[in-house]
Amino acid sequence: MRLPASLSSLLVLLSATVPLVVAAPSLTDHSSCGCFLTNGTEARYFSNHKFFDFRSQSQYAGVPKVITSADDSTEADKTSKFFDTTQWSDMWMVGSWNNSKTVRNDASVLMINSPNNVYIEANGDRTNSPQTWLTLRTQRLATFQTAAEIESTEKIGFQFLSMRMLARTIGAKGAITALFTYRHSDKLADVQEADLEVRTVDPPELVHYTNQPSYTDKGDTVEEATENVTLPDALLRSDWAVHRLDWTPTSNTWYVNGKQVAQISFQTPRDPSKIILNAWSDGGQWAGNMSVNDAAYLQVQWFEVVYNGTDGVHTRKAKRDEETGRESDLVGRADEGCKAVCSIDETPSLGQPVMLWNNGAGRIRGQPGGGGLVSWIPSASVLAMFALSAGLWR
C-alpha cells in the first residue's frame, strides 16, 4: 500500500510526538519522585511522601500497665525506644496535655493524655499477620479518663494532603477515636478541622465525617458540616480497613477501602494544619460516659501521607486563584516543573511508590483521571487508528 505524501508526513509527525507506552510503572524510592499523583474523585499532585509501618516492630512491643495517678500519667515516659527514632520524631510527637483549662461545657470527667497510652502492641494471634501494630488507648479510671494522642510536629505545616491508615477501633462504649487535620483558633468560627471520628457508643457500622466547626457559639448544629455514614461492604469499626482523607482546596473527600463514602465542600480548611490521631473521652454528650475500668483502643497497622507543606523544604510555589484569592495546591504539576511523577495508589508494594512517568528525557504531558494511572496510547496504535479511519487499510 502506498500512502499519499501528505499523509505519510502526518504519520511521521504523529509517531514522533505521541509517546510510547510503558508496560508497567516501576518501583522507585520516594526521593526520586518530583511529585505524587493520587487517584480518586479529585486527582491531585503533591510534593512529598511519608510512610510509617507498625507491622513488624516486635523489638519494641509491650503493653504498659495503666497509670492510675493523674500527675504520673502526664509525666510518663515514652513506652519504647521506637518513639525516639528519627523517622518517628521528625514527624510525630506524643501528647501529654489535659482538658482542665479547656473543658467542654458538657464534660463530666477530667481527661489526661498520657505518653503511657501510646505503644507498639504484639498480635496475640501468632498464626496471623501482622506481628504488631500501633495502639492508642483510653480508659476510664476512678477520678479521671486516661487518653492518648499523637500529632504532627511543628516541623511540617500540612497544606493539602492525601492521608491513609489501615486501622480499627475496638473496646467499650463511651470513647472517641479519630484521624483529622487541625488548625487552632481561640475563636470557634475560625477553627479549621477535617475529621474522621468513630464513637463507640454508636452502632458499630457508623462513622462521622466533618469539616469543623459543626456547631456555633450558641450551641446550634451546623448541618452542612457533617456526613454520618454507614461503612461500606458490611464493615464494622472493629474490622481492619483503609481509611483515607483527601484534603484539597475545594473539598474534603473520605474513602474506606478505596470506596468514596463522603465529600464535604462546606468550610473546607484552607491554611496549614497539623495531623492528629487520638483516643479519648470526657464523659460528655458527644463521647458518652465510659464505665470505670472500661477501655477502648485505636489500632493502626500503617499510616501513609502525600502532602504539600509550608516550611520551605516541603513546598513549591503555589498558585493563587485570581477569582477567590485562595492558594491552590497546583504544586508539583507536570506543567509547573515536576518531571518525575510517582504514585502510591498504583504500587504493588505498600509504602514504596512507583514511577508513572519521567519527563527528564522528554516532555510527556497528560491529564489525571479518576482512575489514578495516566494511560498512554502507543504510537503504533495511533497510526493504526488513523489509517483505519481514513480507509487506507482494508
Side-chain angles (χ1 to χ4, degrees):
M1 177 185 68
R2 185 178 181 84
L3 300 178
S6 59
L7 183 56
S8 298
S9 299
L10 179 58
L11 293 179
V12 170
L13 178 61
L14 281 171
S15 64
T17 56
V18 178
L20 293 174
V21 70
V22 177
S26 58
L27 287 168
T28 188
D29 184 82
H30 67 256
S31 61
S32 301
C33 301
C35 59
F36 301 85
L37 175 62
T38 59
N39 64 5
T41 304
E42 291 190 53
R44 294 280 174 167
Y45 292 83
F46 299 95
S47 296
N48 308 280
H49 171 236
K50 287 184 179 293
F51 177 70
F52 299 87
D53 194 345
F54 310 113
R55 297 171 299 171
S56 301
Q57 305 293 342
S58 297
Q59 67 272 35
Y60 300 113
V63 178
K65 292 183 178 180
V66 174
I67 298 174
T68 58
S69 162
D71 290 339
D72 292 345
S73 286
T74 300
E75 302 299 327
D77 293 330
K78 298 170 186 174
T79 56
S80 75
K81 293 185 181 298
F82 176 85
F83 303 104
D84 291 321
T85 60
T86 300
Q87 185 196 22
W88 174 268
S89 58
D90 277 351
M91 167 81 174
W92 300 107
M93 58 185 293
V94 179
S96 59
W97 60 274
N98 64 70
N99 68 347
S100 60
K101 296 182 180 179
T102 56
V103 177
R104 294 164 63 106
N105 292 336
D106 63 345
S108 63
V109 64
L110 174 66
M111 181 192 73
I112 300 175
N113 285 297
S114 175
N116 187 62
N117 293 322
V118 180
Y119 50 89
I120 300 297
E121 182 174 359
N123 186 352
D125 183 358
R126 296 186 178 182
T127 62
N128 290 321
S129 60
Q131 298 175 16
T132 58
W133 50 70
L134 173 71
T135 295
L136 278 68
R137 173 178 63 192
T138 184
Q139 184 167 340
R140 179 64 185 270
L141 303 176
T143 58
F144 70 100
Q145 181 88 25
T146 188
E149 181 171 279
I150 62 173
E151 65 179 62
S152 58
T153 68
E154 300 293 342
K155 296 177 182 178
I156 306 173
F158 294 89
Q159 191 170 23
F160 311 121
L161 55 75
S162 177
M163 61 180 176
R164 307 93 184 277
M165 66 175 183
L166 177 57
R168 67 181 180 182
T169 295
I170 61 173
K173 292 182 178 181
I176 304 289
T177 65
L179 167 68
F180 56 105
T181 64
Y182 180 74
R183 183 179 179 88
H184 174 75
S185 175
D186 292 332
K187 184 179 179 182
L188 176 62
D190 292 336
V191 169
Q192 298 179 50
E193 182 176 343
D195 283 345
L196 154 64
E197 288 186 293
V198 174
R199 304 167 69 221
T200 59
V201 73
D202 282 337
E205 68 277 5
L206 186 64
V207 295
H208 305 270
Y209 304 105
T210 307
N211 283 351
Q212 298 284 3
S214 59
Y215 59 94
T216 67
D217 289 314
K218 296 180 180 180
D220 298 327
T221 299
V222 181
E223 299 290 346
E224 306 96 320
T226 300
E227 290 191 22
N228 304 315
V229 175
T230 297
L231 291 168
D233 302 324
L235 286 170
L236 306 178
R237 61 175 175 255
S238 57
D239 293 321
W240 291 109
V242 177
H243 298 271
R244 169 178 167 181
L245 164 62
D246 283 8
W247 169 29
T248 74
T250 57
S251 66
N252 283 314
T253 307
W254 290 266
Y255 303 82
V256 176
N257 287 347
K259 293 185 176 181
Q260 181 179 322
V261 291
Q263 185 174 59
I264 303 174
S265 300
F266 177 75
Q267 60 189 18
T268 300
R270 60 192 178 278
D271 295 317
S273 302
K274 295 180 178 181
I275 297 173
I276 299 177
L277 291 83
N278 60 20
W280 63 277
S281 180
D282 60 5
Q285 183 177 1
W286 179 244
N289 191 23
M290 183 174 279
S291 299
V292 174
N293 295 325
D294 277 355
Y297 310 86
L298 172 61
Q299 298 175 331
V300 184
Q301 291 192 33
W302 54 261
F303 176 90
E304 187 167 26
V305 60
V306 287
Y307 64 96
N308 296 329
T310 58
D311 62 357
V313 175
H314 300 89
T315 188
R316 293 189 182 94
K317 185 178 180 181
K319 280 188 174 181
R320 180 174 293 277
D321 189 302
E322 298 298 332
E323 192 171 307
T324 65
R326 291 175 58 176
E327 295 289 327
S328 75
D329 74 333
L330 300 178
V331 179
R333 293 203 176 206
D335 56 358
E336 291 294 311
C338 176
K339 295 181 178 179
V341 179
C342 295
S343 169
I344 62 170
D345 296 310
E346 307 298 336
T347 181
S349 179
L350 180 65
Q352 185 177 2
V354 291
M355 186 74 69
L356 295 182
W357 72 87
N358 191 331
N359 291 356
R363 192 68 173 167
I364 302 176
R365 296 281 299 280
Q367 295 296 325
L373 180 61
V374 176
S375 300
W376 300 103
I377 302 174
S379 299
S381 299
V382 173
L383 298 180
M385 287 187 291
F386 182 88
L388 286 170
S389 65
L392 297 174
W393 290 351
R394 301 183 186 276

